[in-house]
Amino acid sequence: MTSMNLPEGEIQPLSVGNVVSAGIRLYVDHFRPYLKLSLIAMGWLLLPFVVLALLVGGVVLANPNYAPFGLLGFLVFVPLLIFGTAKYQSGAAAISRLAFSTLTNQPEPARVSSRYTDARKWSFWIIGFLVSLLFSGATLAFFFAVLMLMGVVFGIALAVTGSSSPEALFNNPWTIALTVLVMLVALLLFLLLAIWLAARFTVAELPMAVEPQATAVSSVGRSWDLTQRSVWRIVLILFVTFLITFPVQLVVQIFTTVIQVGLALVIPQDSSGYTAIPVLASYLLGLASGIVLLPLWQAIKAVIYYDLRSRREGLGLELPERDL
Amino acid sequence: MRLFKRIKLLTPESVELEFTLAGIGSRALAILVDLHVLTLALVLFWVLWGIFSAQLLNYLERLGMNYRALPIWLLAIALLGSFIVSTGYFAVFELMWQGQTPGKRFAKIRVIRDDGRPIGMGQAALRALLQPFDYFLFIGFFLILFGKREKRLGDWVAGTIVIQEERPEVKTRLTLSEAAKQLAVELPNLARLSALQPDEFAVVSDYLHRRDWMSRNGRSEVSLKLARRVREIVQFQSIPEGLTSDQFLEAVYVAYQNQLAA
C-alpha cells in the first residue's frame, strides 16, 4: 500500500486538540481583519446602550421633570437595541465565514464576507432569538419538571408517614436533607443539560453564514443535525478553548491596568473623575476582553462546523480535477 | 493550507524524519486531563496522609509521649510529598511511556528529543521542574503559540519537542457487500483500473472507511459523486442491473487492491 502523505487535517477529521489549534492558528494568522470585524460588531452592540446613557444623562441633567421622557427613551432604545444586536451577530458571523473560507482554500476579502452577512443580518437576528427561545423553553420545562417531581415526592411522603399536618413534615430533618439533595442533583443535571444544548446549537449561525440556500430556521436545524453524534467532543473543544481564554484575559487585564494607572496619575485625586476610574477600568476590561475573544470563538466555531461537515457530509472528500 | 507545522529532524544516524508539531490545542487538552488526574492523585495522597497522621498522633497520645513538634513535621512532609507527586507525575510518566503522560496519551501527542530520539531521565526531569515557570504569567503558553518549534521553557532547556502521534491507523474492517465482491472479480476485464491514480484510490478508501459516520443524505451524495467520477476514470461502460454507487466503489476498492497485490 502506498503511504498516503495527506496533509494533516485537510481531509481527515480533526481531533479535539487539532480543532482548537486550528482555530487559534486561524485567529493568529488573520489577527488584524478578525479584530477589526470584532471591533465593529461590538461597537454596534454597545451603541444602543451608549445612546441610552447619553439620553438619560442629558435629560436628567436638563429637566427635573423627566418622567414623560421615559417613554421616548424606551421608543428609541428598543429598536436601536434590536438593530444593534442584528449588526453584532452579522459581524460575528462574518468572522466565521472568513475563517471557513480560509479552511476550504477559497479565501475571500473581509469586505465581501461582511457584506454577505450584513445582507442577511435579520436572519442572524432570528437565529439568535430562536436559540435563546429554545434555551429558555428548555430551562422552564426543566424547572417545571423538577417542581412536579418534588410535589409528587412530597405527596408520597405525606401519604407514607400518614401525618395530616404538612408543618410536621417540613420540620422533619429527613425532608430537609432530601430536599437539599434533590436540589443539588437538579442543579447538576441542569448544568449538564445547558452544556449539552449549548453544544447542539454551537454552529447555529454557520450554515446561514456559509450556505447560500440556508434560512434562519433551517440553519438552526442544521446545527442540530450536524452535531448529532459529536456532542461531548464539542463540549471538550469548547472547554479547552475556554481554558485558552485565560492567558488572553491576563494580557488584556495587564493593558487595562496600565491604562488605569496612567489615568490615576493624570486625573486630580479629589475630583469626581478620579472615583470613576476603577468603574471605568472594569468596564474597559470587560469590553476589551470581549472584543479580543470574539474572533477566537467565531474561528473555533468555524473549524467545528468544517470538521462536522467533513465527518457527516464528506466535505473535501472529492477526486481532484484532471484531464482524462 | 498549513494549519499545522511540520518539521524535519535529522537523527544521529542521518535519517530524516518528518513530524507534525502538537499544536497549542492538543497540549492544552493534555494539560487539562493531566491536571484532573493529578488533582485526584493529590487528594488521595492528602487523605491517606491525613489518616496516617491522625493514627500516629493517636498512638503517641496513648503512649503519653510529648509530640508537640510532630504536627509541623507531618505538614512539612505532606507539602514535600505534594511537590514530589506533582513534579514526579509528569517526569515519571514521560519517562515510562516514551514521552507521554495520561493527558498526552488522550490528546495523542508525544514528547521527543530534538533529534528524534525518545526522551531520557534528564529531559523528563528538566521539563517537569520548569513547569512552574511556564505557568507563571502563562509564559509557556505564549512561547508555544509564537515560538518557531512550539517550545515552552521546559522544551528549550531540555532540548525536546512535542509532536503529534502518527499512529498507523488500525483500519477498521470494511463490510463489503456480496455484489461488490462478485463485481470485483470481473472488474479488471471490464474497466481500466490502472487509470486510477493512488491518491484517487486513497479518496475512495477514505470514503469507505468514513461512510458509517456520515448522515444518510451526505453519504449518498458523496457516494454518487465519487462513483460517477471513478466510472469516468476507469471507463466502466456496462453497469449491471441495480448496482448502487456504494457497491461500485467497494468493488473498485477490492479490485484495485488485488491488482496491487498481484
Side-chain angles (χ1 to χ4, degrees):
Chain A
M1 259 311 298
T2 54
S3 77
M4 294 170 250
N5 276 327
L6 294 171
E8 180 70 46
E10 279 211 21
I11 296 187
Q12 302 302 322
L14 296 166
S15 70
V16 169
N18 286 340
V19 168
V20 179
S21 302
I24 295 176
R25 178 69 31 202
L26 278 170
Y27 186 18
V28 169
D29 284 347
H30 303 91
F31 186 66
R32 279 244 209 91
Y34 288 15
L35 195 67
K36 189 164 147 196
L37 283 171
S38 177
L39 256 162
I40 297 174
M42 277 294 188
W44 277 109
L45 190 63
L46 271 175
L47 184 70
F49 296 97
V50 169
V51 166
L52 185 68
L54 287 174
L55 265 180
V56 167
V59 164
V60 166
L61 286 176
N63 193 345
N65 177 28
Y66 52 77
F69 289 96
L71 187 62
L72 184 68
F74 190 72
L75 284 175
V76 167
F77 177 68
V78 172
L80 213 58
L81 183 66
I82 295 180
F83 187 74
T85 319
K87 290 289 265 191
Y88 165 77
Q89 282 168 325
S90 69
I95 301 177
S96 289
R97 184 182 162 87
L98 259 183
F100 186 76
S101 72
T102 311
L103 284 167
T104 52
N105 279 324
Q106 292 162 331
E108 204 177 60
R111 254 182 306 111
V112 176
S113 293
S114 56
R115 227 182 293 146
Y116 184 94
T117 57
D118 191 67
R120 293 159 172 75
K121 54 178 171 286
W122 295 114
S123 299
F124 286 116
W125 190 90
I126 295 176
I127 291 176
F129 182 68
L130 275 177
V131 174
S132 324
L133 213 63
L134 285 162
F135 263 101
S136 315
T139 309
L140 271 172
F142 185 82
F143 183 62
F144 278 122
V146 170
L147 227 61
M148 276 206 303
L149 183 72
M150 295 202 64
V152 163
V153 167
F154 188 60
I156 293 177
L158 263 180
V160 162
T161 58
S163 55
S164 49
S165 72
E167 279 79 39
L169 206 55
F170 279 137
N171 291 332
N172 189 335
W174 284 109
T175 325
I176 298 176
L178 197 65
T179 315
V180 170
L181 188 67
V182 168
M183 297 198 108
L184 279 176
V185 171
L187 193 66
L188 191 66
L189 281 176
F190 179 69
L191 207 63
L192 284 173
L193 176 70
I195 292 174
W196 188 84
L197 272 180
R200 286 312 286 265
F201 292 119
T202 297
V203 295
E205 79 267 29
L206 263 295
M208 190 74 227
V210 160
E211 298 166 22
Q213 70 276 25
T215 65
V217 176
S218 81
S219 190
V220 177
R222 251 173 89 59
S223 177
W224 183 264
D225 278 333
L226 282 172
T227 55
Q228 248 178 33
R229 290 166 78 172
S230 310
V231 179
W232 297 110
R233 219 170 46 88
I234 295 176
V235 169
L236 200 56
I237 293 172
L238 295 175
F239 197 13
V240 176
T241 311
F242 178 62
L243 203 68
I244 303 272
T245 60
F246 289 166
V248 181
Q249 297 224 21
L250 179 71
V251 174
V252 173
Q253 185 145 29
I254 291 179
F255 270 108
T256 52
T257 310
V258 166
I259 294 179
Q260 184 175 4
V261 167
L263 282 177
L265 289 175
V266 169
I267 295 183
Q269 214 150 359
D270 45 352
S271 73
S272 59
Y274 191 76
T275 51
I277 289 181
V279 179
L280 207 64
S282 69
Y283 275 129
L284 202 65
L285 178 65
L287 189 64
S289 284
I291 293 177
V292 172
L293 289 174
L294 177 67
L296 178 64
W297 288 108
Q298 294 301 120
I300 295 275
K301 283 201 234 174
V303 181
I304 293 177
Y305 172 71
Y306 172 81
D307 185 55
L308 282 174
R309 283 196 61 183
S310 143
R311 283 167 186 258
R312 299 277 295 161
E313 298 173 359
L315 182 71
L317 208 56
E318 50 195 23
L319 297 172
E321 287 293 322
R322 67 175 170 108
D323 294 322
L324 294 174
Chain B
M1 107 236 85
R2 282 276 161 263
L3 277 184
F4 301 99
K5 294 183 185 158
R6 292 184 78 88
I7 50 162
K8 288 199 170 79
L9 304 174
L10 202 58
T11 70
E13 300 85 14
S14 299
V15 174
E16 203 177 64
L17 294 173
E18 202 179 331
F19 294 110
T20 311
L21 290 174
I24 182 71
S26 299
R27 292 180 78 161
L29 178 63
I31 264 287
L32 197 66
V33 173
D34 277 329
L35 284 179
H36 277 84
V37 177
L38 187 59
T39 309
L40 243 79
L42 280 175
V43 164
L44 194 68
F45 170 75
W46 276 87
V47 163
L48 286 176
W49 186 256
I51 295 175
F52 168 74
S53 304
Q55 300 286 44
L56 184 63
L57 292 174
N58 249 346
Y59 179 67
L60 288 178
E61 172 97 43
R62 268 190 284 133
L63 283 185
M65 282 168 55
N66 176 6
Y67 60 85
R68 224 176 309 141
L70 196 55
I72 298 269
W73 275 100
L74 288 173
L75 184 63
I77 296 178
L79 287 172
L80 188 64
S82 297
F83 171 74
I84 291 177
V85 170
S86 311
T87 313
Y89 171 87
F90 291 97
V92 169
F93 270 117
E94 282 178 5
L95 195 60
M96 273 193 344
W97 282 359
Q98 263 95 38
Q100 282 188 316
T101 64
K104 291 196 168 66
R105 194 160 255 203
F106 182 75
K108 301 203 188 63
I109 59 178
R110 187 186 290 277
V111 185
I112 59 172
R113 288 200 223 198
D114 273 339
D115 54 9
R117 289 185 293 159
I119 70 170
M121 194 157 59
Q123 284 92 16
L126 272 171
R127 292 185 92 248
L129 285 170
L130 268 125
Q131 272 195 342
F133 296 96
D134 278 315
Y135 282 136
F136 179 67
L137 288 183
F138 300 112
I139 287 179
F141 171 80
F142 288 109
L143 282 174
I144 295 175
L145 193 55
F146 296 115
K148 225 176 50 166
R149 286 181 152 197
E150 294 185 3
K151 288 180 179 241
R152 62 178 177 91
L153 283 175
D155 289 320
W156 278 115
V157 171
T160 57
I161 51 170
V162 187
I163 56 164
Q164 289 194 18
E165 261 206 316
E166 267 152 58
R167 267 215 186 117
E169 270 180 50
V170 178
K171 295 280 192 192
T172 47
R173 293 201 135 271
L174 291 178
T175 44
L176 301 168
S177 57
E178 270 312 308
K181 288 187 202 156
Q182 286 174 355
L183 183 59
V185 175
E186 305 160 358
L187 208 55
N189 304 326
L190 300 171
R192 278 186 59 216
L193 282 177
S194 50
L196 195 66
Q197 291 184 349
D199 51 343
E200 292 170 342
F201 172 78
V203 174
V204 173
S205 169
D206 247 346
Y207 163 70
L208 289 174
H209 284 100
R210 281 162 56 182
R211 59 185 172 172
D212 290 331
W213 274 89
M214 296 191 196
S215 63
R216 212 171 352 118
N217 286 341
R219 176 176 161 163
S220 53
E221 256 187 60
V222 174
S223 174
L224 212 57
K225 191 175 61 167
L226 286 179
R228 284 208 183 109
R229 191 91 175 92
V230 170
R231 204 183 120 211
E232 265 179 27
I233 294 176
V234 301
Q235 294 162 14
F236 183 51
Q237 309 295 12
S238 49
I239 310 172
E241 185 78 33
L243 183 74
T244 68
S245 46
D246 255 24
Q247 288 169 335
F248 174 60
L249 290 171
E250 290 172 14
V252 170
Y253 176 78
V254 173
Y256 190 84
Q257 286 199 307
N258 289 340
Q259 214 178 43
L260 274 186

PDB file of all heavy atoms in Angstrom, chain B residues 144-166:
ATOM      1  N   ILE B 144       4.747  28.715  23.250  1.00  0.00           N
ATOM      2  CA  ILE B 144       4.273  27.661  22.354  1.00  0.00           C
ATOM      3  C   ILE B 144       3.551  28.281  21.169  1.00  0.00           C
ATOM      4  O   ILE B 144       3.715  27.868  20.023  1.00  0.00           O
ATOM      5  CB  ILE B 144       3.321  26.689  23.091  1.00  0.00           C
ATOM      6  CG1 ILE B 144       4.076  25.946  24.176  1.00  0.00           C
ATOM      7  CG2 ILE B 144       2.704  25.695  22.122  1.00  0.00           C
ATOM      8  CD1 ILE B 144       3.191  25.070  25.019  1.00  0.00           C
ATOM      9  N   LEU B 145       2.761  29.309  21.456  1.00  0.00           N
ATOM     10  CA  LEU B 145       1.935  29.890  20.415  1.00  0.00           C
ATOM     11  C   LEU B 145       2.775  30.606  19.357  1.00  0.00           C
ATOM     12  O   LEU B 145       2.531  30.481  18.163  1.00  0.00           O
ATOM     13  CB  LEU B 145       0.961  30.880  21.056  1.00  0.00           C
ATOM     14  CG  LEU B 145      -0.204  31.370  20.202  1.00  0.00           C
ATOM     15  CD1 LEU B 145      -0.984  30.213  19.662  1.00  0.00           C
ATOM     16  CD2 LEU B 145      -1.098  32.261  21.028  1.00  0.00           C
ATOM     17  N   PHE B 146       3.792  31.350  19.798  1.00  0.00           N
ATOM     18  CA  PHE B 146       4.522  32.189  18.862  1.00  0.00           C
ATOM     19  C   PHE B 146       5.920  31.686  18.551  1.00  0.00           C
ATOM     20  O   PHE B 146       6.602  32.244  17.711  1.00  0.00           O
ATOM     21  CB  PHE B 146       4.600  33.620  19.404  1.00  0.00           C
ATOM     22  CG  PHE B 146       3.257  34.259  19.527  1.00  0.00           C
ATOM     23  CD1 PHE B 146       2.753  34.597  20.773  1.00  0.00           C
ATOM     24  CD2 PHE B 146       2.481  34.496  18.414  1.00  0.00           C
ATOM     25  CE1 PHE B 146       1.500  35.169  20.898  1.00  0.00           C
ATOM     26  CE2 PHE B 146       1.230  35.072  18.521  1.00  0.00           C
ATOM     27  CZ  PHE B 146       0.742  35.417  19.767  1.00  0.00           C
ATOM     28  N   GLY B 147       6.367  30.649  19.239  1.00  0.00           N
ATOM     29  CA  GLY B 147       7.719  30.147  19.014  1.00  0.00           C
ATOM     30  C   GLY B 147       7.813  29.389  17.702  1.00  0.00           C
ATOM     31  O   GLY B 147       6.822  28.967  17.127  1.00  0.00           O
ATOM     32  N   LYS B 148       9.048  29.207  17.248  1.00  0.00           N
ATOM     33  CA  LYS B 148       9.230  28.563  15.946  1.00  0.00           C
ATOM     34  C   LYS B 148       8.879  27.094  16.004  1.00  0.00           C
ATOM     35  O   LYS B 148       8.273  26.552  15.101  1.00  0.00           O
ATOM     36  CB  LYS B 148      10.665  28.753  15.485  1.00  0.00           C
ATOM     37  CG  LYS B 148      10.748  29.156  14.022  1.00  0.00           C
ATOM     38  CD  LYS B 148      12.157  29.437  13.567  1.00  0.00           C
ATOM     39  CE  LYS B 148      13.111  28.326  13.942  1.00  0.00           C
ATOM     40  NZ  LYS B 148      14.393  28.422  13.231  1.00  0.00           N
ATOM     41  N   ARG B 149       9.287  26.419  17.060  1.00  0.00           N
ATOM     42  CA  ARG B 149       9.025  24.989  17.136  1.00  0.00           C
ATOM     43  C   ARG B 149       8.083  24.667  18.291  1.00  0.00           C
ATOM     44  O   ARG B 149       8.111  23.568  18.834  1.00  0.00           O
ATOM     45  CB  ARG B 149      10.337  24.228  17.329  1.00  0.00           C
ATOM     46  CG  ARG B 149      11.148  24.171  16.064  1.00  0.00           C
ATOM     47  CD  ARG B 149      12.425  23.385  16.268  1.00  0.00           C
ATOM     48  NE  ARG B 149      12.858  22.794  15.036  1.00  0.00           N
ATOM     49  CZ  ARG B 149      13.728  21.800  14.930  1.00  0.00           C
ATOM     50  NH1 ARG B 149      14.229  21.272  16.030  1.00  0.00           N
ATOM     51  NH2 ARG B 149      14.081  21.324  13.771  1.00  0.00           N
ATOM     52  N   GLU B 150       7.273  25.649  18.647  1.00  0.00           N
ATOM     53  CA  GLU B 150       6.296  25.464  19.725  1.00  0.00           C
ATOM     54  C   GLU B 150       6.945  24.932  20.989  1.00  0.00           C
ATOM     55  O   GLU B 150       6.449  24.004  21.617  1.00  0.00           O
ATOM     56  CB  GLU B 150       5.184  24.513  19.280  1.00  0.00           C
ATOM     57  CG  GLU B 150       4.351  25.094  18.153  1.00  0.00           C
ATOM     58  CD  GLU B 150       3.180  24.205  17.791  1.00  0.00           C
ATOM     59  OE1 GLU B 150       3.009  23.177  18.456  1.00  0.00           O
ATOM     60  OE2 GLU B 150       2.468  24.545  16.842  1.00  0.00           O
ATOM     61  N   LYS B 151       8.078  25.503  21.368  1.00  0.00           N
ATOM     62  CA  LYS B 151       8.749  25.055  22.579  1.00  0.00           C
ATOM     63  C   LYS B 151       8.423  25.989  23.725  1.00  0.00           C
ATOM     64  O   LYS B 151       8.502  27.204  23.592  1.00  0.00           O
ATOM     65  CB  LYS B 151      10.267  25.107  22.377  1.00  0.00           C
ATOM     66  CG  LYS B 151      10.827  24.056  21.463  1.00  0.00           C
ATOM     67  CD  LYS B 151      12.342  24.249  21.372  1.00  0.00           C
ATOM     68  CE  LYS B 151      12.973  23.222  20.502  1.00  0.00           C
ATOM     69  NZ  LYS B 151      13.949  22.420  21.269  1.00  0.00           N
ATOM     70  N   ARG B 152       8.096  25.396  24.874  1.00  0.00           N
ATOM     71  CA  ARG B 152       7.976  26.213  26.074  1.00  0.00           C
ATOM     72  C   ARG B 152       9.332  26.232  26.767  1.00  0.00           C
ATOM     73  O   ARG B 152      10.279  25.644  26.291  1.00  0.00           O
ATOM     74  CB  ARG B 152       6.887  25.657  26.993  1.00  0.00           C
ATOM     75  CG  ARG B 152       7.146  24.261  27.496  1.00  0.00           C
ATOM     76  CD  ARG B 152       6.008  23.850  28.428  1.00  0.00           C
ATOM     77  NE  ARG B 152       6.143  22.494  28.909  1.00  0.00           N
ATOM     78  CZ  ARG B 152       6.778  22.166  30.036  1.00  0.00           C
ATOM     79  NH1 ARG B 152       7.345  23.086  30.761  1.00  0.00           N
ATOM     80  NH2 ARG B 152       6.856  20.915  30.419  1.00  0.00           N
ATOM     81  N   LEU B 153       9.432  26.884  27.921  1.00  0.00           N
ATOM     82  CA  LEU B 153      10.721  26.998  28.610  1.00  0.00           C
ATOM     83  C   LEU B 153      11.333  25.625  28.863  1.00  0.00           C
ATOM     84  O   LEU B 153      12.521  25.388  28.643  1.00  0.00           O
ATOM     85  CB  LEU B 153      10.557  27.722  29.944  1.00  0.00           C
ATOM     86  CG  LEU B 153      10.414  29.243  29.867  1.00  0.00           C
ATOM     87  CD1 LEU B 153      10.148  29.790  31.256  1.00  0.00           C
ATOM     88  CD2 LEU B 153      11.670  29.854  29.286  1.00  0.00           C
ATOM     89  N   GLY B 154      10.472  24.716  29.337  1.00  0.00           N
ATOM     90  CA  GLY B 154      10.960  23.370  29.619  1.00  0.00           C
ATOM     91  C   GLY B 154      11.528  22.711  28.374  1.00  0.00           C
ATOM     92  O   GLY B 154      12.537  22.016  28.420  1.00  0.00           O
ATOM     93  N   ASP B 155      10.874  22.939  27.227  1.00  0.00           N
ATOM     94  CA  ASP B 155      11.355  22.350  25.986  1.00  0.00           C
ATOM     95  C   ASP B 155      12.692  22.955  25.573  1.00  0.00           C
ATOM     96  O   ASP B 155      13.600  22.260  25.111  1.00  0.00           O
ATOM     97  CB  ASP B 155      10.338  22.567  24.865  1.00  0.00           C
ATOM     98  CG  ASP B 155       9.094  21.718  25.052  1.00  0.00           C
ATOM     99  OD1 ASP B 155       9.259  20.553  25.464  1.00  0.00           O
ATOM    100  OD2 ASP B 155       7.979  22.206  24.793  1.00  0.00           O
ATOM    101  N   TRP B 156      12.829  24.276  25.725  1.00  0.00           N
ATOM    102  CA  TRP B 156      14.082  24.940  25.357  1.00  0.00           C
ATOM    103  C   TRP B 156      15.247  24.381  26.169  1.00  0.00           C
ATOM    104  O   TRP B 156      16.306  24.047  25.637  1.00  0.00           O
ATOM    105  CB  TRP B 156      13.993  26.446  25.584  1.00  0.00           C
ATOM    106  CG  TRP B 156      13.328  27.208  24.482  1.00  0.00           C
ATOM    107  CD1 TRP B 156      12.165  27.889  24.563  1.00  0.00           C
ATOM    108  CD2 TRP B 156      13.785  27.357  23.148  1.00  0.00           C
ATOM    109  NE1 TRP B 156      11.857  28.446  23.353  1.00  0.00           N
ATOM    110  CE2 TRP B 156      12.837  28.148  22.460  1.00  0.00           C
ATOM    111  CE3 TRP B 156      14.903  26.907  22.440  1.00  0.00           C
ATOM    112  CZ2 TRP B 156      12.957  28.488  21.120  1.00  0.00           C
ATOM    113  CZ3 TRP B 156      15.026  27.247  21.101  1.00  0.00           C
ATOM    114  CH2 TRP B 156      14.066  28.025  20.459  1.00  0.00           C
ATOM    115  N   VAL B 157      15.020  24.302  27.474  1.00  0.00           N
ATOM    116  CA  VAL B 157      16.110  23.887  28.352  1.00  0.00           C
ATOM    117  C   VAL B 157      16.461  22.419  28.151  1.00  0.00           C
ATOM    118  O   VAL B 157      17.629  22.037  28.152  1.00  0.00           O
ATOM    119  CB  VAL B 157      15.724  24.156  29.829  1.00  0.00           C
ATOM    120  CG1 VAL B 157      16.726  23.557  30.760  1.00  0.00           C
ATOM    121  CG2 VAL B 157      15.581  25.654  30.058  1.00  0.00           C
ATOM    122  N   ALA B 158      15.434  21.586  27.973  1.00  0.00           N
ATOM    123  CA  ALA B 158      15.685  20.143  27.895  1.00  0.00           C
ATOM    124  C   ALA B 158      15.982  19.682  26.477  1.00  0.00           C
ATOM    125  O   ALA B 158      16.368  18.536  26.271  1.00  0.00           O
ATOM    126  CB  ALA B 158      14.485  19.381  28.449  1.00  0.00           C
ATOM    127  N   GLY B 159      15.756  20.556  25.511  1.00  0.00           N
ATOM    128  CA  GLY B 159      16.015  20.143  24.134  1.00  0.00           C
ATOM    129  C   GLY B 159      15.021  19.130  23.631  1.00  0.00           C
ATOM    130  O   GLY B 159      15.400  18.110  23.050  1.00  0.00           O
ATOM    131  N   THR B 160      13.732  19.388  23.867  1.00  0.00           N
ATOM    132  CA  THR B 160      12.710  18.447  23.421  1.00  0.00           C
ATOM    133  C   THR B 160      11.682  19.188  22.573  1.00  0.00           C
ATOM    134  O   THR B 160      11.597  20.405  22.598  1.00  0.00           O
ATOM    135  CB  THR B 160      11.960  17.818  24.613  1.00  0.00           C
ATOM    136  OG1 THR B 160      11.389  18.870  25.397  1.00  0.00           O
ATOM    137  CG2 THR B 160      12.888  16.995  25.463  1.00  0.00           C
ATOM    138  N   ILE B 161      10.906  18.417  21.820  1.00  0.00           N
ATOM    139  CA  ILE B 161       9.752  18.983  21.122  1.00  0.00           C
ATOM    140  C   ILE B 161       8.560  18.061  21.355  1.00  0.00           C
ATOM    141  O   ILE B 161       8.730  16.893  21.715  1.00  0.00           O
ATOM    142  CB  ILE B 161       9.977  19.133  19.606  1.00  0.00           C
ATOM    143  CG1 ILE B 161      10.484  17.831  19.023  1.00  0.00           C
ATOM    144  CG2 ILE B 161      10.886  20.280  19.291  1.00  0.00           C
ATOM    145  CD1 ILE B 161      10.505  17.840  17.525  1.00  0.00           C
ATOM    146  N   VAL B 162       7.379  18.593  21.142  1.00  0.00           N
ATOM    147  CA  VAL B 162       6.173  17.791  21.334  1.00  0.00           C
ATOM    148  C   VAL B 162       5.503  17.640  19.970  1.00  0.00           C
ATOM    149  O   VAL B 162       5.211  18.635  19.309  1.00  0.00           O
ATOM    150  CB  VAL B 162       5.200  18.477  22.321  1.00  0.00           C
ATOM    151  CG1 VAL B 162       4.041  17.557  22.627  1.00  0.00           C
ATOM    152  CG2 VAL B 162       5.937  18.843  23.593  1.00  0.00           C
ATOM    153  N   ILE B 163       5.287  16.392  19.581  1.00  0.00           N
ATOM    154  CA  ILE B 163       4.755  16.139  18.255  1.00  0.00           C
ATOM    155  C   ILE B 163       3.430  15.394  18.322  1.00  0.00           C
ATOM    156  O   ILE B 163       3.073  14.849  19.359  1.00  0.00           O
ATOM    157  CB  ILE B 163       5.729  15.290  17.413  1.00  0.00           C
ATOM    158  CG1 ILE B 163       6.038  13.991  18.171  1.00  0.00           C
ATOM    159  CG2 ILE B 163       6.975  16.064  17.092  1.00  0.00           C
ATOM    160  CD1 ILE B 163       6.662  12.943  17.314  1.00  0.00           C
ATOM    161  N   GLN B 164       2.744  15.404  17.192  1.00  0.00           N
ATOM    162  CA  GLN B 164       1.512  14.630  17.120  1.00  0.00           C
ATOM    163  C   GLN B 164       1.871  13.193  16.808  1.00  0.00           C
ATOM    164  O   GLN B 164       2.743  12.916  16.010  1.00  0.00           O
ATOM    165  CB  GLN B 164       0.611  15.180  16.017  1.00  0.00           C
ATOM    166  CG  GLN B 164       0.019  16.501  16.380  1.00  0.00           C
ATOM    167  CD  GLN B 164      -1.109  16.889  15.464  1.00  0.00           C
ATOM    168  OE1 GLN B 164      -1.658  16.055  14.771  1.00  0.00           O
ATOM    169  NE2 GLN B 164      -1.457  18.156  15.477  1.00  0.00           N
ATOM    170  N   GLU B 165       1.146  12.311  17.477  1.00  0.00           N
ATOM    171  CA  GLU B 165       1.386  10.909  17.235  1.00  0.00           C
ATOM    172  C   GLU B 165       0.785  10.524  15.920  1.00  0.00           C
ATOM    173  O   GLU B 165      -0.396  10.721  15.699  1.00  0.00           O
ATOM    174  CB  GLU B 165       0.674  10.111  18.318  1.00  0.00           C
ATOM    175  CG  GLU B 165       1.569   9.684  19.412  1.00  0.00           C
ATOM    176  CD  GLU B 165       1.027   8.441  20.056  1.00  0.00           C
ATOM    177  OE1 GLU B 165      -0.191   8.398  20.297  1.00  0.00           O
ATOM    178  OE2 GLU B 165       1.809   7.526  20.260  1.00  0.00           O
ATOM    179  N   GLU B 166       1.621   9.956  15.060  1.00  0.00           N
ATOM    180  CA  GLU B 166       1.004   9.469  13.842  1.00  0.00           C
ATOM    181  C   GLU B 166       0.975   7.968  13.915  1.00  0.00           C
ATOM    182  O   GLU B 166       1.790   7.284  13.325  1.00  0.00           O
ATOM    183  CB  GLU B 166       1.756   9.983  12.620  1.00  0.00           C
ATOM    184  CG  GLU B 166       1.137  11.277  12.095  1.00  0.00           C
ATOM    185  CD  GLU B 166       2.126  12.161  11.385  1.00  0.00           C
ATOM    186  OE1 GLU B 166       2.711  11.667  10.423  1.00  0.00           O
ATOM    187  OE2 GLU B 166       2.313  13.318  11.828  1.00  0.00           O
TER     188      GLU B 166
END
